[in-house]
Amino acid sequence: MKSIKVLIAALLFFVATDMSAQVSVNVNLGTPPVWAPAAPAKVQYYYLPDIETYYDVPARRYIYANNGVWVRSEKLPKRYRGYNLHHSHPVYLTDYRGNQPYMLYKEHKVKYKGNGKWKGDKGKSKGHGKSKGHGKGHDKK
């Protein structure tokens, strides 16, 4: 009888440990950046139409084209230094799974047009106007 109690206690311990580990992983991987609207938990990428850039949520990396090559970086390039992410209109992409969201770039560029306020660096970013999107669009292929 004592061995059954020990076995049950050990089983409960392993189940509880496994459940708590799974919960912490789910919470930590899907945290959007502070400038982005809340998105469904399964969203991996945001698209920033004003600057034609993607943001990879789990990797915390921006993905942008640089001389025809898509680059991943923790920071935006210098050419976007005046762009205010807090006034951006990101679109979360719900239908794409993979490592290369830019494979759909031509579709995204047409579907999610920027608000036209970003004029490049040198402090010309206005970013306060309203775009046609509300920041919670979905990528549907």
Side-chain angles (χ1 to χ4, degrees):
M1 186 72 155
K2 185 176 180 181
S3 61
I4 292 175
K5 288 181 183 180
V6 171
L7 182 61
I8 291 173
L11 181 62
L12 289 174
F13 174 76
F14 286 117
V15 169
T17 303
D18 185 46
M19 287 174 54
S20 66
Q22 187 174 5
V23 170
S24 65
V25 168
N26 290 338
V27 170
N28 292 334
L29 288 180
T31 305
V34 295
W35 48 263
K42 294 181 181 180
V43 169
Q44 182 176 357
Y45 298 103
Y46 284 89
Y47 175 62
L48 297 154
D50 295 340
I51 57 175
E52 300 173 342
T53 298
Y54 295 91
Y55 183 78
D56 184 335
V57 176
R60 297 182 181 172
R61 300 276 189 272
Y62 295 95
I63 306 169
Y64 54 87
N66 188 18
N67 295 323
V69 177
W70 287 93
V71 177
R72 294 176 181 265
S73 175
E74 290 181 13
K75 297 180 180 180
L76 287 170
K78 289 183 180 180
R79 68 181 180 256
Y80 301 136
R81 77 178 127 222
Y83 184 71
N84 187 339
L85 288 166
H86 293 281
H87 293 283
S88 66
H89 298 280
V91 178
Y92 54 79
L93 306 177
T94 58
D95 293 344
Y96 179 77
R97 298 289 180 264
N99 294 321
Q100 300 174 328
Y102 46 84
M103 297 302 286
L104 300 175
Y105 169 71
K106 289 181 181 179
E107 292 175 34
H108 295 155
K109 184 175 179 175
V110 171
K111 189 172 183 177
Y112 308 115
K113 293 181 182 178
N115 66 16
K117 299 293 184 180
W118 173 244
K119 304 293 184 196
D121 59 6
K122 301 184 182 170
K124 294 183 181 177
S125 173
K126 295 180 182 152
H128 297 287
K130 292 185 178 181
S131 70
K132 293 179 183 176
H134 51 69
K136 295 184 181 178
H138 301 281
D139 180 29
K140 294 182 181 174
K141 192 170 179 187

